[in-house]
Amino acid sequence: MNNLPNKTFNELSVEELVNLIEYHNNRYWKEGNPEISDEEYDLLTRQLEIKDPFNPLLEKIAFPRFNRAEKIRHAVPMLSLEKAYSRGGVVQWAEKFARTEDELFSIQPKYDGISANFANGVLASRGDGFEGENISDKIPLIELEADGYKGPLNRDARGEIIIRNDDFKNIYSKILKKDGALYKNQRNAVAGIMGLKKIDEMLSQGAKLTLVDYGMIKEILPFSKLKDENSWNDILKEFSILPYPMDGVVVKFHDDAYSASLGATAHHPRGQIAFKISGLRMPSVIKNVEWSFGKNCLTPIAMIDPVRIGGITIKKVTLHNLKFVNDNDLRIGDKVIVERAGDVIPHIVSSEKGAERTSFIIEKCPSCGSALVIEGPELKCVNQECPDTKLRRLLSAVRSIGIERLGEPTLKKMMSALSVKKLKDIFSLTKEDFLALEGFREKSADNLFREIQSARKTSDRALLASLNIEGVGKNIAKSILEKYSLGELRKMSAAELENISGIGPERSKGLSKELERQSEIIAELLDALDVSVTKTSDASENLKTICFTGKMPEKRSHYERLAGTAGYKPVDSVTEKLSLLVVADINENSSKMEKAKKYGVKIIPLSEWLVND
Ligand SMILES: [Zn+2]
């Protein structure tokens, strides 16, 4: 293994992530020869944090080894802390040990850097908690910030080596790494600098690190207040404007002697807990829930108290479906932890009952008022005349036959102003009809008209998929149509359908019911559209190939789809076997055109192909 597997990071399993991270740790720390950028490394560790927040490897990453020969024994071990990922977890822990409601707790920022201990003139990393490494050679770079003191590291301290936010912005925008690049984030910069064999370069560039004493900033709260969410949030807010990188808070018993008397487990002192806010997770509250119409069901979307995660303000999260809501007993007023992972739609990872809770499960369709039905995990409106369900279905049909310019707002206007009810109605609309709609101009009306008309050419496969029959996507549509034509399909019984590969007895029943119900529409569509018959898979080997070249008015994918429905297989390059080269401009001589001429491949201009093929 020497490279990233051919998967995106969020497709990696926990095991794959662990292997990869360990491999890159080795490259970085032991061999001093990193293979991936700091940002990629960060993404890997973040993925692991999302998928397996309690993975022991995360602990190791938080406390890196620097490969120094000299080891330093800590007089007082630097144990790692037990972690909670919700406020509820902190309260539970406190409840276990608090002696009274007035028990005092101290809350400190959890700094995002590298823990270290300075004693008797020696600076040591945390190491395994009992024995660290001598990193005293870095002292010239370090300024100590402790209660009432800011200056050279000249007194005992236990804390975190970090780069202040302001320093990172001002100083580190000019400091270059060995490879000539800038450090991309504070923690990586600290780790990178601590791992350097020599710091001359860093000193000459003016690099500066800060050792923040753990005791410097703290808030004291009695147990009764710790349980109160507002006081808790006030403290988080107060900490969030401090100039230090942080990834949570540490909660301790204020009474050190009592805390020590609680002892420690093998890994953690009992008297302390860390509340970790991952950069991608934030607490919020469900304020309201809207049921949004999907193609076949209603999806609960929660409006939450806005939170900022990774630089983006999040106001809505998906609650997936009815089953998710029931399984997690979610109500309006509940507290939730919101997560945003990559480009995935924000969702919630955990919840806690709110003080005042309101159920948001509905029994009647918000659009048509008819009684909703529970089917599997979903809540559905089964009224065929339901306006919103119709809109969704029509929209999805429009998508599957490839009219991309026709979005939901326009479709809505068409339904109300132009009495569009079914897919086929769209094809009889004229440019003048569109111009009558609000927001349309000559050019946009013309474009839409042309796109709709070009979608008139479709394949039986795309058409079957566009009927929105549950469970019949493009693949099943393909295996059905290899045996039967759409016309034949209209009249088939469940028993006959069951013999098609990929269709079980369950699906065949539903399918035959749907086909029967939509029989008339299918007939209409077959009539309205120019439907080509899909070749069977044996014939696909012998499909005519087509290649497009030059700058065309629409996206390449648009023409390739047209070509597909006309029975061509689109390819990217010109070979002897190519059946047809379509060029944007017949007078512009490209290398593809020259090749095609050499091989004697037929060349036609786009305008001609659009008319004839
Ligand atoms: Zn409805």
Side-chain angles (χ1 to χ4, degrees), residues 427-439:
F427 292 103
S428 54
L429 298 176
T430 63
K431 207 175 111 181
E432 284 64 40
D433 288 330
F434 301 144
L435 277 169
L437 294 177
E438 189 201 326

Side-chain angles (χ1 to χ4, degrees), residues 38-39 175-184 202 205:
D38 291 351
E39 299 83 79
I175 290 178
L176 303 177
K177 293 191 280 188
K178 245 197 257 170
D179 63 3
L182 290 169
Y183 288 107
K184 288 284 159 60
M202 283 298 138
Q205 296 189 78

Side-chain angles (χ1 to χ4, degrees), residues 365 368 370 381 386:
C365 173
C368 68
S370 58
C381 172
C386 173

Side-chain angles (χ1 to χ4, degrees), residues 162-197:
I162 51 117
I163 294 172
R164 288 173 56 112
N165 298 341
D166 47 351
D167 286 344
F168 192 71
K169 205 172 139 207
N170 301 326
I171 307 176
Y172 285 82
S173 58
K174 296 175 202 87
I175 290 178
L176 303 177
K177 293 191 280 188
K178 245 197 257 170
D179 63 3
L182 290 169
Y183 288 107
K184 288 284 159 60
N185 77 44
Q186 284 145 283
R187 194 176 179 282
N188 283 333
V190 175
I193 292 170
M194 298 311 288
L196 291 174
K197 298 228 156 58

